Amino acid sequence: MTNNYNVKDDSSRKEQLIQMVGFKIDNETFGVDILMVQEIIRAASITTVPNSPEFVEGVINLRGSIIPVIDLRKRLNLQPNNYKQETDWILILDISGRITGFIVDWVTDVIKIQEKNIDPPPEILVAGLQSQYIRGVCEVEDALLILLDFTRILLVDEIKKLKSSSFDSEHNTADKH
Amino acid sequence: MIDLSLLEDFVMGAGESLEEMETALLTLESSPNDVELLNTIFRAIHTIKGAAQFVGLEKVSVLSHALEDLLDLLREGKRQATSDIVNVLIQANDRISALVADLERTQTENTEVDDLVQILHVHLAQPETDSSTTDPVLEDDPLSSFLDDETDSKTETDSFLLDATNDDTTLESFLEDDTDFDSFLIDEKNDDVSLESFLEDDSEIDSFLIDDAENNQNNTSFLLNIDSDTTQNDAIDSLLFDTNKEKPTPQIATPSNAIFTVPIEEHDQELFEIFILQLREKFVLLNNNIVQLETSYSQKRNDLLTEAIETLESLKFSANYMAYEELTYFYSHWIDHILDAQKSLSKNTEVPLTFMRESLSQLQAIFPQLKAETIKVEASTENDILFNDNIEPTNTKNLQEIDRLFDDKEPDLSGENAFIEELVLQKETPKVEITPPHIVKKTPKEIISEAEPTLSNNDEDDFEARNSSVESELFHKLSLALDASVVEQAIISEPINEVFSTLLDSTEKQRKEVKKTETKDLILDVKTLKEANEATDTILPEPVEPKKLTPIKEVPPKAKTPPPQKTPPQKTTPKNKTIIPELAPAAPPKKVFKKSIRVDADKIDSLMNQVGELIVDRAYFFQLVSEISELQQYLKATGLAQKDLKLIRTFAYRFSEAILALGRTSNALQESVMKVRMLPMTQLFNRFPRLVHDVANTNNKKVFLKVLGEDTELDKMIIEEIADPLMHMIRNAIGHGIERPEERLAAGKSETGNIVLEAYHESNHIVIEITDDGRGIDIERIKEKAQKMDLFTREELDRMSNNDLTRFIMMPGFSTAKEISSTSGRGVGMDVVKKNIEKLNGTIDVESKKGIETKMRLKIPLTLAIISALIVKVGKDSFTIPLANVEETLRVQYNDISIMEETEVMYLRGKTVPIFRLSTLFSLEPDKNLSDDDFFVVIVNTSTQKIGLMVDSLIGQDEVVIKPLADYLYEQNCFSGATIIGDGRVSLIIDIYELVAMTTTKQINKHHRQEKKSLELFIKE
């Protein structure tokens, strides 16, 4: 179906359908381009990495490769989860070569949207989320789908900075004692 | 211009040759008269030159050519290898290295060579010092003067003719020339550019050749000369052993009576290249086909033969297109042969398929020639090579006659008639003669020993029998060699070289041993060879062997006399003899064929990774085995019926057996893959003599380097990693360790300092020791410096052991040198060395006795990818500690621990060791169920410090595969990677060095904070 559509409207990129994997954190629906998603797993045993940034949940063994897992909720500074789910969903994404796992509340389904329907991120905060991590928003069935910019989320420099600041603050707090 | 595809091979090959050359050059300094060394150097430079020309590298060729000329003079003793000359040679070596480096980076030759070439020419032009004195044999030789002349004229006529310097009277020089010439010819075909640079056009070659021929008219022409008056044995004699007799003069071209020349074909270069390309492809196909043929059964064979026919048909077609009549004919004959074979196959009769390989060999032989076709040189046909018999010096033109001869004389050989026939058919094709020398290698001894029997044995029949077998054997070897060379043309020069050297060696020896009186070892050789021969002879009579083994097996040492002994069925006959000398020596290698392939390191790495996976999987299976036995226990406890239990027990048993088998296999696999990556240290250690030479010279010191255990093998990657640290340490040893000659004499030592570089294995590690007998490390200076740097107080320093103090030299910024020189004194070196070694999970130790010696000891794991490690548990997580760092594990009572400056410490054999709780360091929850009374402590050791790590429990020791972590996880962390343990979970590998550094900073921070606090308190008050 998609193919037919694409053939028909090849000329107009705006008309193109993109498929997004939808997932939820709390009640917000987020989306990530299906092409980035390598797989979706549940319940991997995560090994914590001491002294790593807070949002790095740890590493998992994915068929012999060791893959870092980031708690997306913590990374995006969203409200902490009130209740603990039995098993998390882990989206394994290929972000320009870096295979990384992201913990989300649950993965919903594949959502098809039209490129032209994607709006730039609004100036105001969406769902308590800094707009820098948002690639765009899109209205789907009366709800707002937030397309995340994972390249930005995984910006290594930023992670390092975050880490050192957390490291410093740890020290600062220690100093205060 | 430069053939890029070949460049890579050239760079690699040249690198090896350069190393070889450099080593030899350095040795040459101390023993300037060592002919063997000169030969080695010559060989190396010749290899480079050949390859450079082949690839089309002008500068390298020109430089190496000039070098060759100079070396030639050295070799002949016309020049002494003075330190001056050696230095020039070393310079040239460096220059070529620089060029090679250029090529590697930019694919162009940037470095200038003209200045050096000039210098070389100056050396060359120097009046020849007493050329005659050095080599008495030369003196005897009536030809020498002639040859010298020849050289001159040649250089005049065409300075380009490589190695025109034919001043050596012996065969070898001739051969060289020839080979050079050949390589040159190949160049011509392959590379217009290089060709042009060397020669304007074919006619020039021709004219040169003719010139040459004329010059040599009076001599037995070597290659193509049909000199009918030389009879077989005479020829041999004259060639090899009779220096007084008229010598067969090396000649590239033949006098007019020589053979047939092939009309120079003006074919389209491009077309020809395509042709060769196709030929190459098909050749590989055919070769595969033949290999399969030899191992498969009749039905399959039939198919394979059909395939072969198809391939040949297409070859034939292209040959036809190119208007190579002989070649076309050759192909059709081959096809006919196959058809015959197929017929007999269908009748279920045993068919000899030997002809396949033989034909292939011939094709190979033809192949290089094809390129050089335009030149007359070819005169000799395969027959020359094949039938090296000079038994029939007759200019038999009649094939049948030859056949008959063979038949009559050698009933045994009937099976090979087909082959012979073919060869005969080939006679028309201009080919080969040059090829074989390139390919066939033989040690001089072999050659001589083989020659020996010939001399004593006049039985013609015997000869013939042998010869024919020899020829096939020869061909087999040729085909082997050619296989390689076809795939990698660039390499061709290598075999050439070897042939050279063997030739040189052999002739030299022969000269010395002229008129017999064989030396003992020769006799021995002959004997053994004879024995071998006899053994194989028995196999010989069976010509109809389906596999081509027969010809190969019968290695009749006798036949191979360097002197020609083949019934050259042709008009070419007499020449053959002349040719043979090169052939024979060129014959089969005594050294086992070195089978090696170049593989992309990445491929090996990925193989290694997969093996790593396998090991992880294996660990998982082991885990399962133990789970099954737990399950068994559980089921038993639940009161399962005995009968059912038995089922499970049997299963569990079989399962564990299977896992054990898997374990064994994977162990073996792991080991072999690791071995693939292992290389002898030679490669690395070979660089050091040069380094020592240079550094010692600049420091005005005399140093002797002794290298031990260079055969020790080590992972290639590690070899690369330790090259720099080692180099630095050796530089240190010379710069700081070894005293100046006068100081040494004053200290009662020998004037020359000694440095011993030794490598050996110690369990899973390699140990490299660098020992110098210099002044040793001055502990007092270290103390002063440490005090000056405010590292410790004088009292603390006085309490420290010498070993601890010595380790200071590895601290960043620590140098005891009084002034900074270009090579040392900034206090960076050893710090970097230590870092590099630690990166490899290695350790470094320094031991020094003042005034006597300093010993640096590196201990490095054999491989990087897999390490043995201790796995420990903290809370619910497991951590992996490289076993290299683990000193011991202890079970410690709480009482044994005391607190010092807010740090837990314990006394271990009279020393205080700080203890850190991993749970605290990593902010983890320790297992609450554990008693507080005793814990496990792992004592880990970095070269500078020893600390104890408190863990919840020890899981065990295992081989683990190191896997990288995401880069941001390394930041401010103390993990060097992670591994997957038996239960499939990830275990982080602790980087002990980082960990220790972290603990120290923590301590320091704590210290600072306390000071601050007390200061604040003080201020407040």
Side-chain angles (χ1 to χ4, degrees), chain A residues 12 37 40 51 72 89 101 111 125 144 157 173 175:
Chain A
S12 155
V37 181
I40 299 159
N51 304 333
L72 197 55
W89 291 81
I111 304 163
L125 285 186
L144 196 64
D157 285 344
T173 43
D175 276 353

Side-chain angles (χ1 to χ4, degrees), chain B residues 418-573:
Chain B
F419 173 42
I420 292 161
E421 246 165 42
E422 247 186 85
L423 295 175
V424 171
L425 286 169
Q426 287 307 313
K427 71 178 170 193
E428 291 297 336
T429 10
K431 349 204 139 170
V432 188
E433 39 94 36
I434 292 162
T435 334
H438 300 186
I439 297 145
V440 199
K441 305 167 192 170
K442 217 172 172 210
T443 62
K445 260 190 199 169
E446 244 181 316
I447 297 157
I448 296 165
S449 57
E450 278 160 14
E452 239 39 87
T454 327
L455 289 171
S456 52
N457 189 347
N458 286 320
D459 181 330
E460 285 188 0
D461 286 357
D462 198 17
F463 266 169
E464 263 195 33
R466 266 160 204 158
N467 288 334
S468 53
S469 53
V470 171
E471 77 199 10
S472 38
E473 191 249 348
L474 196 78
F475 258 102
H476 179 68
K477 296 262 156 83
L478 283 178
S479 75
L480 282 181
L482 265 178
D483 278 1
S485 61
V486 166
V487 181
E488 291 226 6
Q489 286 266 328
I491 294 175
I492 240 175
S493 55
E494 213 164 322
I496 298 176
N497 240 338
E498 297 206 21
V499 177
F500 273 4
S501 58
T502 44
L503 271 171
L504 292 174
D505 293 347
S506 65
T507 26
E508 217 163 88
K509 281 194 189 155
Q510 282 163 351
R511 257 206 252 144
K512 283 178 197 150
E513 280 139 23
V514 181
K515 291 34 178 281
K516 261 357 3 117
T517 64
E518 312 112 316
T519 58
K520 274 181 206 161
D521 56 352
L522 272 178
I523 296 170
L524 273 178
D525 255 350
V526 177
K527 261 190 205 155
T528 46
L529 278 165
K530 264 188 188 158
E531 271 161 26
N533 190 23
E534 267 149 31
T536 43
D537 273 352
T538 49
I539 306 162
L540 214 169
E542 232 13 280
V544 200
E545 273 218 85
K547 310 223 167 162
K548 21 222 72 193
L549 290 178
T550 344
I552 302 158
K553 278 186 199 155
E554 357 155 351
V555 185
K558 305 183 179 180
K560 308 253 144 119
T561 22
Q565 32 165 216
K566 280 282 164 156
T567 357
Q570 262 92 9
K571 6 178 171 177
T572 9
T573 325

Side-chain angles (χ1 to χ4, degrees), chain B residues 974-1007:
Chain B
C974 48
F975 301 108
S976 56
T979 188
I980 295 163
I981 51 173
D983 58 4
R985 286 180 53 110
V986 178
S987 171
L988 296 164
I989 301 170
I990 299 175
D991 182 337
I992 293 298
Y993 301 98
E994 284 295 318
L995 187 80
V996 169
M998 200 171 91
T999 56
T1000 347
T1001 31
K1002 275 203 174 167
Q1003 266 176 297
I1004 292 171
N1005 282 346
K1006 219 188 268 176
H1007 206 66

Side-chain angles (χ1 to χ4, degrees), chain A residues 20 25-26 29 32 48 51 66 84 87 100-101 109 112 126 129 152 157 162-163 176:
Chain A
M20 309 291 283
I25 295 176
D26 293 337
T29 311
V32 55
T48 37
N51 304 333
I66 292 178
K84 184 68 196 154
T87 48
T100 312
D109 54 359
K112 289 174 193 145
V126 185
L129 189 61
R152 187 75 175 76
D157 285 344
L162 280 172
K163 192 173 162 185
K176 276 172 204 156

